Amino acid sequence: METKLLDVTDLEHAGEKLAYAGSVLRAGGLVAFPTETVYGLGGDALNPNAAADIYKAKGRPSDNPLIVHISEISGLEQLAGRVTDKAEKLMEAFWPGPLTMIFEKSGEVPLATTGGLPTVAVRMPDHPVTLALIREAGCPLAGPSANLSGRPSPTRWEHVYEDLSGRIDAILQAEPCRVGIESTVLDMTEDTPAILRPGIITPEMIRDKIGGKVVYDPALFVNRPRDVSAGGTPGGRADGSLLEQTDGPAPKAPGMKYRHYAPRAEMILYQGGAAAVRQAALKRKAAEEAAGRSVGLLLFEGEDARLVAREFFAELRKMDASGVDIILAAALDTSDPVGFSVMNRMLKSAGYRVEQV
Ligand code: TXA
Ligand code: MG
């Protein structure tokens, strides 16, 4: 299949292209679209065949549910069963934006879209192109990240082209994504909302709006979940590590259990003070190069976690493109909730290989 490239950078003059993309989606086709977080792979969320095609195009296991994207809060009614007051407060505060909420699903959402689960994940993205596309399509859009399963999420249309060209109908070309990591996924089906995937909407921000408790899914930690409602930080263990759980509960977001965000190169995270990390990384680099291997450094020294979030996936792809054999990266400070969210991705990219220095 030939994948059409549709440049919608100039949104005011993109009407025809968006109308075309909408018609492709209505007919059951797949169109990749920009959002504020990462690029998504869109298909009609109410069409089980479109959902099946999304899994196929991504090479994604079909038990890993898709997020459904809407353009108006009123679009939730068709998708979700019970919507609590807390959820209403949160959508009021954060939609459109990088917060996904999980609800009991309605009868209209096919199990193909939810990976067989009785719940549905919904978000309203904060990007004019995505909102316009959903309106054109006239249906809610299932939208996983538009990468091949296991690869770093795409934050530029070129990344989508690299992974999915020839496998989908079209790609909307727009600016690089400004958040750079995927939305916070919040389970609203229990009394106490639980963060299943951390993002830039932090527990503190959620707590402020609902005036009550919010927890992290225990599977995000080696140890027990931390109640962050009392103003505690999500810093993981005292030694700062957030290693993969081996014998604890399975993550409630099926996607969190898969190998993810993997660069082709081997990757090692160094954890410790900035100076010690730099020294250890440079020493290792010299040793690797002496052995004939090429090395990429990702030290992000002094950078804000939000900036690292924006660049991290793109940096991994850049390193792969330049053919490095090994990536040496500095771990982030996980007492900052956004640092914690980026580290969640970094650890997966590194296959949980961490060296304390
Ligand atoms: O920022 C984002 O959320 C991006 C953009 C495109 O919107 N989308 C995205 O989708 O990251 P995806 O499919 O790559 O990740 C969805 C995550 C997975 O970890 C999945 O397991 C979880 O959300 N999820 C989806 N529906 C769920 C459900 N009903 N229950 C539990 N977890 C769910
Ligand atoms: Mg993904």
Side-chain angles (χ1 to χ4, degrees), residues 123-141:
R123 94 174 183 101
M124 187 195 299
D126 185 16
H127 197 296
V129 169
T130 340
L131 297 175
L133 178 69
I134 298 168
R135 289 189 193 114
E136 279 295 342
C139 56
L141 294 184

Side-chain angles (χ1 to χ4, degrees), residues 51 55 61-66 105 109-120 254:
Y55 288 107
S62 60
D63 69 342
N64 188 1
L66 309 174
K105 80 171 192 70
V109 183
L111 288 166
T113 298
T114 66
L117 293 177
T119 53
V120 62

Side-chain angles (χ1 to χ4, degrees), residues 38 58 60 64 144-147 151 153 182 197 260-261:
V38 302
K58 277 180 65 74
R60 174 171 177 146
N64 188 1
S145 50
N147 52 302
R151 297 273 299 140
S153 294
E182 309 87 339
R197 180 176 71 182
H260 245 129
Y261 314 127

Side-chain angles (χ1 to χ4, degrees), residues 99-111:
L99 177 70
T100 295
M101 285 191 272
I102 295 178
F103 304 98
E104 287 158 20
K105 80 171 192 70
S106 73
E108 279 190 64
V109 183
L111 288 166

Side-chain angles (χ1 to χ4, degrees), residues 210-230:
I210 62 177
K213 260 171 82 148
V214 51
V215 294
Y216 278 111
D217 183 356
L220 294 172
F221 299 92
V222 174
N223 56 350
R224 295 279 81 200
R226 197 156 288 239
D227 175 2
V228 287
S229 60

Side-chain angles (χ1 to χ4, degrees), residues 268-293:
I268 303 173
L269 282 172
Y270 288 95
Q271 194 155 45
V277 163
R278 183 175 181 78
Q279 200 182 15
L282 289 176
K283 191 169 159 208
R284 177 71 178 256
K285 180 171 187 281
E288 293 289 343
E289 285 173 351
R293 307 220 299 158

